[in-house]
Amino acid sequence: MEPSSKPATSSAIASDSFHHLDVGTVLNQLGVSLDQGLTDAEVARRQERFGLNRMTRRRGTPAWMKFLLQFHQPLVYLLLIATLVSLALREWVDATVIFAVILINSIVGYLQESKAEKEIESLNKMVAEETTVLRGGIRRGVSAESLVPGDVVLLQGGDRVPADLRLCTLKNLQIEEAALTGESVPAGKMIDALPLDTTLADRRNLAFGGTLVTSGQAEGVVVVTGDATETGRIARLMSETIDLSTPLTRNIAQLSRWLMFAILALSAAIFALGIWRGEPVAEVFMSTVALAVGAIPEGLPAAVTIVLAIGVSRMARRSAVIRKLPAVETLGSTSIICSDKTGTLTQNQMTVVQIYVADQMIDVTGAGYEPVGQFEQNGSKVEPADHPALTEVLRAGLLCNESSLYEEEGRWNIQGDPTEAALLVAAHKAGLHEELTSCAWPRRDKIPFESEYMYQAVLHEAPGDRQVVYIVGAMERLLGRCTAAIDALGGESPVDMPRIEAAAEAMAENGLRVLMLGKVEVETDQSQLEHEDVAANLTFLGLQGMIDPPRPEVIAAIADCRKAGIQVKMITGDHVGTARSIARMIGLGDAQLQSLTGRDLEQIPAEDLPVVAEKTTVFARVAPEQKLRLVEALQSRGHVVAMTGDGVNDAPALKQADIGIAMGITGTDVAKGAAAMVLTDDNFATIKAAVEEGRGVFDNLVKFIVWTLPTNIGEAGVLFVAILLATELPVLPVQILWINMASSVLLGLMLVFEPHERDLMLRPPRNPREPILSFPLIMRTGLVSLIILIGSFWVFDQEMRADGHTLDQARTAVINVIVMVECAYLLNCRCLTRSVFSIGLFTNMYVLYGIAAMIGAQLLMTYLPLMQKLFHTAPLDLGSWLRILLVTVVAFIAVEFEKWVRFHKQVAAT
């Protein structure tokens, strides 16, 4: 074909239109001929215009900026204020300790959350390094980076496609596109033009960069390179998606802002009051900063980090590796899981599950490539050795086959085409093996599969000095050539075409890919096989129906997710019939479940998509950008969305989702790089365990916050009232710092080891719009804060009235009141809705160890001379301890009674 007089470039054709044009038009537009290719001079000119065939590396956030951003949080600002306050008070040790907490939090956050942007590099690795082209009429090997639009590329089995190509000539070409389109089997290719609205997965006349040629040969012309390829578009989508904040970070930020404004307002009020009274500015300032120190929860950031880190450790033991720390809790808030089908819900291993032979439908058990299973009819076992027709149809699939099956490290794998492998595994289950069969049935010739004919055939010598041709392919191409059918005893009977077609239709309605198998005997001296040999007189052997089966554990996992109030949606690039069938198998719905295709999605206005996406269960033939749109649409409805997947086509949606979950074994590097969590066992059921762990993490965080806030509010209240009444401060800033830091470590952090409550996975997902603390918990926080306030002043007053008691002794008693109430309240907080006795006092021994350690620390602070000097404390007598114990018991009983009343009100209401 002659090139045009004025060569065009790929910009002359819309990047998504090449499949719509015939080969001649594409070549003419690109200014190239198939027999010559481009000249070196033309290649150089086009390289100047289009650049090299590689994806642009996006500039990421510098490492130093990522580290500094760890400080950009309201709660960290509060801690910095606490550090400055301590420095102003010349409390160097306290300032150092608080700043050390900030620094450790920032380092841990940086190491956990900072991602080296390896996704784009992984996409670059998918593109072939070298390829074969035709330039100046000469066939040569060149670097894939040097390709330009218009280059003529030669492909053969085993090659990785170097750029997006419009196929021009081909023979038996099949390309593995699962990572890009989600299809379970290699795509057969063609060269004819297709309708303009053909979806990506159905563009059979294109070969996409990064995909793998499994068989056949082809010539294609490069139409786009680098960032303009489908793989490049995915890279761009990934770079444009924003890493969203998580429900936890949003809630903590909201709580931190509320605390910061409350503390600043209270401090300003105290400062203004002191100035209005005419008190010395320095004294007023010191009282104000003491109030601020008392109100700031210094232990909260450390607790959040440690709770999440422990959650990461627990989840790693359950085969879920967390790449981003807050993702632990996000799983607990997840309301929708959008799951890819191939390799996630299914095994990505084509398996024969039904065989129609001799007017009988036989089920085949077992799943995947492991050659273990049996044959059943109506629940009764069928022995292939006693069923000549079944043996014959299995032998046909075994002989008409180029694939191989092998075991490696306990896993069964295949070499070759997955469809052929399914036929091979089915034969192995019947005890038929290619090694033994090939000796008794040596092959003479073969007709390879071609999309033009839709079948392949083999010529074999058969026992008894016979020659037999076995054929396998599309039933609609082969059934009309049959003149007889095999019967149950291996003989021949008339072929009942309507019955066979009905059986095939029933299998297809169940989402099975159906292949017909047949045979014909030829002359014994024939050594070559031609298409004419199988054009007529075939004997119908049977139908084998196969599917990429669901993972066995998925059904239970989805049922558990539904109990937990989590919707599961399937988003796949595969055909809608197959997707619906798998959805029904795994319990996503019945025959009435709603499904949409990518083409349907294109017709839905953007404003209507969120509602439609929420109601639909299965999305099929979906392009990568449509997966991204679906995730965004569901998020716009207020859902916390988790997206699972393993292919390159999943990566943009994985990155956009509130939490992206990649498969560790079958997942591509690109998918893993975009995900927040990686399942090391590729087990969908692990997600259920991760959700449970995430809910447990949030539960324990809430328990810590509910426990720590009354202390800070109570301390601030004590100081505020004392300043308001112009009396002696019942507790000093340095003593407050001791209480806050020591109790956070020895008491509060023990809650992170709290076991999960029994009803954890029976609750609906937490509404991410709701604040961390519900109204009942806020009221409880106020109750305990009031007990600390009143109890502290009562003990302080009693100590000051006692004969011979000093101000230091009174303050020491107040410190111990606050700490002992914290110990009692820690037991209350082990269960926020029921009595602590209902879950057992000894189910978390760390809490008891922490209380013992805190009491020991308080005794040292009270009686050890060095501690007395550092913290201005003094020894207490028995009377003081009895008063402290009384306040502690009152606090414990009051909270338990409040929980009892509220719990029984809820029971009565339901």
Side-chain angles (χ1 to χ4, degrees):
M1 183 175 294
E2 293 297 324
S4 63
S5 58
K6 187 176 181 180
T9 62
S10 66
S11 62
I13 314 172
S15 61
D16 58 353
S17 302
F18 294 109
H19 63 280
H20 180 54
L21 304 175
D22 60 63
V23 172
T25 302
V26 172
L27 293 173
N28 190 54
Q29 290 279 357
L30 292 171
V32 66
S33 64
L34 273 184
D35 58 349
Q36 290 295 314
L38 299 175
T39 63
D40 289 339
E42 181 61 23
V43 169
R45 281 194 294 271
R46 296 191 184 193
Q47 281 181 350
E48 287 183 10
R49 175 168 185 178
F50 296 104
L52 295 177
N53 177 34
R54 64 185 179 197
M55 274 155 281
T56 305
R57 288 176 171 81
R58 270 72 181 181
R59 181 177 298 176
T61 306
W64 61 269
M65 180 59 73
K66 289 180 182 178
F67 180 72
L68 288 181
L69 286 174
Q70 303 300 316
F71 294 85
H72 184 53
Q73 302 173 43
L75 204 57
V76 174
Y77 294 151
L78 291 178
L79 287 177
L80 288 171
I81 291 172
T83 304
L84 294 175
V85 165
S86 300
L87 290 172
L89 294 172
R90 307 182 70 83
E91 298 292 342
W92 312 117
V93 174
D94 300 313
T96 302
V97 169
I98 298 172
F99 188 73
V101 170
I102 298 172
L103 194 61
I104 291 170
N105 285 337
S106 300
I107 291 172
V108 171
Y110 173 78
L111 293 177
Q112 290 285 350
E113 296 183 18
S114 177
K115 296 181 183 178
E117 294 296 331
K118 295 180 180 177
E119 300 99 303
I120 309 301
E121 293 178 16
S122 297
L123 285 164
N124 275 315
K125 290 176 184 176
M126 286 187 61
V127 179
E129 295 182 359
E130 290 203 1
T131 191
T132 303
V133 298
L134 192 68
R135 286 181 179 170
I138 300 173
R139 183 183 179 127
R140 66 175 79 168
V142 299
S143 167
E145 283 193 350
S146 71
L147 291 180
V148 294
D151 257 324
V152 176
V153 176
L154 310 177
L155 298 175
Q156 60 182 1
D159 288 347
R160 192 170 288 280
V161 181
D164 285 3
L165 311 178
R166 173 61 164 92
L167 298 171
C168 302
T169 67
L170 57 81
K171 184 176 181 181
N172 308 327
L173 184 68
Q174 296 198 46
I175 298 181
E176 171 61 67
E177 297 178 342
L180 189 65
T181 66
E183 286 216 43
S184 308
V185 296
K189 294 297 182 176
M190 56 183 288
I191 62 173
D192 298 334
L194 295 167
L196 184 60
D197 61 352
T198 303
T199 58
L200 179 72
D202 291 322
R203 294 176 186 175
R204 302 301 193 193
N205 55 13
L206 299 181
F208 300 110
T211 57
L212 186 66
V213 179
T214 58
S215 64
Q217 299 173 341
E219 285 182 316
V221 60
V222 176
V223 289
V224 289
T225 59
D227 291 336
T229 63
E230 285 300 320
T231 305
R233 288 197 314 112
I234 291 174
R236 187 169 64 255
L237 287 172
M238 289 170 62
S239 67
E240 291 171 356
T241 52
I242 301 170
D243 280 336
L244 301 177
S245 60
T246 70
L248 175 66
T249 57
R250 290 192 289 267
N251 286 147
I252 291 292
Q254 182 185 31
L255 177 63
S256 300
R257 284 191 295 271
W258 181 83
L259 287 173
M260 183 170 66
F261 291 136
I263 292 167
L264 291 176
L266 195 59
S267 299
I270 289 298
F271 188 81
L273 179 64
I275 297 298
W276 179 72
R277 283 177 173 173
E279 298 175 8
V281 175
E283 186 176 319
V284 174
F285 178 74
M286 298 309 288
S287 298
T288 303
V289 294
L291 178 66
V293 170
I296 295 172
E298 291 90 350
L300 183 55
V304 170
T305 301
I306 292 171
V307 168
L308 294 177
I310 290 174
V312 167
S313 176
R314 285 177 174 173
M315 294 174 82
R317 291 195 294 270
R318 301 178 81 166
S319 302
V321 176
I322 297 296
R323 300 184 69 248
K324 191 171 185 179
L325 203 56
V328 179
E329 180 275 335
T330 309
L331 273 167
S333 305
T334 298
S335 56
I336 291 181
I337 298 175
C338 295
S339 177
D340 183 44
K341 177 184 72 68
T342 305
T344 306
L345 295 172
T346 66
Q347 301 182 36
N348 200 16
Q349 297 181 349
M350 292 298 288
T351 305
V352 173
V353 294
Q354 277 190 331
I355 299 176
Y356 177 77
V357 59
D359 294 334
Q360 300 172 345
M361 190 66 77
I362 295 176
D363 297 317
V364 186
T365 65
Y369 294 140
E370 185 177 9
V372 176
Q374 62 184 27
F375 301 86
E376 298 177 350
Q377 185 179 16
N378 298 324
S380 300
K381 185 177 180 181
V382 175
E383 290 291 350
D386 300 331
H387 200 304
L390 177 59
T391 300
E392 188 70 358
V393 75
L394 291 170
R395 181 183 292 115
L398 176 70
L399 294 176
C400 208
N401 209 303
E402 298 297 329
S403 297
S404 59
L405 182 68
Y406 63 95
E407 186 177 12
E408 185 177 58
E409 296 180 357
R411 287 173 56 89
W412 286 90
N413 300 297
I414 63 153
Q415 184 75 38
D417 180 79
T419 301
E420 292 185 357
L423 299 174
L424 190 67
V425 173
H428 279 222
K429 291 176 181 178
L432 300 177
H433 295 275
E434 55 269 35
E435 296 84 359
L436 298 176
T437 306
S438 61
C439 296
W441 299 72
R443 179 182 293 184
R444 300 292 297 276
D445 198 12
K446 175 185 178 180
I447 297 176
F449 178 87
E450 294 184 42
S451 56
E452 180 182 354
Y453 295 99
M454 298 298 291
Y455 64 77
Q456 65 179 4
V458 289
L459 172 62
H460 281 265
E461 293 180 16
D465 196 25
R466 297 178 299 125
Q467 286 207 136
V468 180
V469 176
Y470 286 107
I471 188 168
V472 58
M475 186 195 71
E476 54 269 22
R477 294 290 186 94
L478 300 180
L479 186 58
R481 306 180 186 192
C482 295
T483 56
I486 194 170
D487 62 24
L489 299 177
E492 290 189 354
S493 62
V495 59
D496 188 345
M497 291 190 182
R499 190 165 184 174
I500 294 170
E501 289 170 347
E505 185 176 346
M507 295 167 79
E509 286 178 355
N510 288 327
L512 303 187
R513 184 183 186 193
V514 182
L515 294 178
M516 193 198 105
L517 298 99
K519 73 174 182 178
V520 60
E521 291 200 16
V522 296
E523 298 295 332
T524 57
D525 60 348
Q526 183 171 330
S527 60
Q528 292 186 334
L529 187 59
E530 304 293 341
H531 288 287
E532 291 77 13
D533 296 318
V534 292
N537 301 319
L538 297 181
T539 298
F540 174 79
L541 296 179
L543 305 173
Q544 292 201 38
M546 60 189 67
I547 197 169
D548 179 12
R551 294 176 177 272
E553 64 278 357
V554 162
I555 297 172
I558 287 177
D560 287 339
C561 286
R562 286 191 156 188
K563 289 177 185 176
I566 300 169
Q567 297 181 52
V568 180
K569 298 181 183 294
M570 180 191 294
I571 304 179
T572 178
D574 213 337
H575 295 279
V576 65
T578 304
R580 285 177 61 88
S581 176
I582 293 292
R584 290 194 297 269
M585 289 181 191
I586 61 180
L588 287 184
D590 53 22
Q592 304 304 314
L593 66 83
Q594 294 192 37
S595 60
L596 291 172
T597 65
R599 189 171 295 177
D600 296 330
L601 290 174
E602 291 175 357
Q603 310 303 317
I604 299 174
E607 61 271 18
D608 297 336
L609 184 59
V611 174
V612 173
E614 200 170 34
K615 295 179 179 178
T616 305
T617 304
V618 174
F619 301 89
R621 307 306 275 174
V622 174
E625 60 269 21
Q626 291 176 324
K627 292 187 178 186
L628 185 59
R629 280 186 65 209
L630 286 170
V631 171
E632 291 171 336
L634 292 169
Q635 288 173 332
S636 73
R637 296 283 291 176
H639 290 289
V640 177
V641 180
M643 171 75 186
T644 74
D646 60 355
V648 176
N649 61 329
D650 300 321
L654 285 174
K655 195 169 184 181
Q656 173 65 29
D658 294 277
I659 177 165
I661 307 169
M663 303 296 117
I665 298 173
T666 59
T668 61
D669 287 343
V670 181
K672 294 175 189 175
M677 184 174 86
V678 178
L679 304 182
T680 60
D681 59 358
D682 282 17
N683 190 337
F684 186 89
T686 303
I687 297 174
K688 178 260 179 183
V691 168
E692 183 179 5
E693 199 63 53
R695 290 187 174 191
V697 163
F698 188 80
D699 247 22
N700 291 346
L701 269 177
V702 171
K703 290 172 184 177
F704 177 86
I705 293 169
V706 169
W707 171 82
T708 195
L709 285 184
T711 303
N712 296 107
I713 295 173
E715 290 168 347
V718 168
L719 292 168
F720 180 77
V721 172
I723 295 169
L724 194 64
L725 299 177
T727 64
E728 293 282 355
L729 294 180
V731 61
L732 298 174
V734 68
Q735 295 167 342
I736 290 174
L737 284 169
W738 161 264
I739 296 170
N740 291 352
M741 298 305 294
S743 62
S744 292
V745 174
L746 297 178
L747 296 180
L749 289 183
M750 299 305 106
L751 288 172
V752 307
F753 302 104
E754 195 63 34
H756 300 158
E757 294 186 26
R758 292 190 301 272
D759 64 343
L760 193 63
M761 288 301 289
L762 298 177
R763 307 173 192 168
R766 186 180 64 85
N767 187 342
R769 295 189 184 92
E770 292 180 355
I772 291 180
L773 300 183
S774 62
F775 179 74
L777 294 180
I778 292 173
M779 295 301 293
R780 187 179 302 164
T781 298
L783 171 65
V784 178
S785 300
L786 190 62
I787 291 173
I788 290 175
L789 172 63
I790 295 173
S792 296
F793 268 102
W794 178 73
V795 168
F796 184 74
D797 180 68
Q798 292 297 311
E799 292 296 314
M800 292 298 290
R801 291 172 183 272
D803 291 336
H805 283 201
T806 64
L807 179 60
D808 284 346
Q809 284 178 304
R811 285 172 170 163
T812 303
V814 170
I815 296 170
N816 282 291
V817 164
I818 296 172
V819 168
M820 294 305 291
V821 170
E822 281 187 308
C823 290
Y825 189 46
L826 185 70
L827 295 173
N828 296 134
C829 287
R830 289 193 55 208
C831 184
L832 297 177
T833 56
R834 300 187 305 276
S835 169
V836 64
F837 299 106
S838 68
I839 62 173
L841 281 176
F842 303 102
T843 51
N844 183 0
M845 293 301 296
Y846 290 104
V847 165
L848 300 181
Y849 298 150
I851 291 174
M854 191 70 214
I855 292 173
Q858 284 304 113
L859 291 174
L860 291 175
M861 185 189 190
T862 303
Y863 296 106
L864 191 68
L866 177 61
M867 298 286 279
Q868 292 171 353
K869 184 175 181 181
L870 286 173
F871 293 100
H872 311 289
T873 57
L876 299 179
D877 58 23
L878 181 60
S880 300
W881 284 111
L882 289 175
R883 284 187 285 272
I884 292 168
L885 183 61
L886 177 61
V887 175
T888 302
V889 171
V890 168
F892 180 79
I893 293 175
V895 175
E896 287 297 300
F897 179 72
E898 182 266 344
K899 287 196 290 184
W900 182 85
V901 170
R902 198 174 297 279
F903 177 75
H904 283 80
K905 277 187 177 180
Q906 289 177 341
V907 171
T910 56

